[in-house]
Amino acid sequence: MGQKTFTYPREFSLDELSEAIAADEAGVGKLVGLNRPFEGSVATFEYGEGHPEKGVRLVPAAGGVPKGHAKVCEGQVWAGGQAQTVIAVRAD
């Protein structure tokens, strides 16, 4: 299986970034990584079956994994132009 990366604007809010990543995951495959180069947030997906019914969402890492969710991956992103460390989670 190969991988595909998408870059998202630095100005996206955390909610906008979550929505965009969830939509891309549903079409491409499983989210496997997050990164924060200068130009924007980068999500890496592994080609395969996506998760359209249980989309991924990003939460600040400081709060930990919310109850009833499973951790997908952790990384650094830009949200609202601010650098943040986040956890990508999916409902159990």
Side-chain angles (χ1 to χ4, degrees):
M1 290 191 161
Q3 293 187 335
K4 174 84 174 162
T5 60
F6 291 91
T7 302
Y8 307 93
R10 290 171 56 128
E11 296 76 27
F12 270 15
S13 69
L14 197 55
D15 287 340
E16 290 171 318
L17 187 57
S18 290
E19 289 175 19
I21 289 173
D24 288 335
E25 184 185 50
V28 174
K30 182 182 175 189
L31 175 67
V32 293
L34 296 166
N35 193 6
R36 183 187 69 217
F38 182 76
E39 64 271 11
S41 300
V42 174
T44 304
F45 302 90
E46 188 171 273
Y47 283 116
E49 187 176 326
H51 298 274
E53 73 286 351
K54 289 186 176 182
V56 67
R57 115 180 131 94
L58 305 179
V59 296
V65 176
K67 189 172 184 167
H69 289 75
K71 180 178 174 178
V72 174
C73 66
E74 187 171 340
Q76 298 178 336
V77 297
W78 293 102
Q82 300 290 319
Q84 293 190 33
T85 300
V86 297
I87 301 171
V89 299
R90 184 182 331 280
D92 282 338

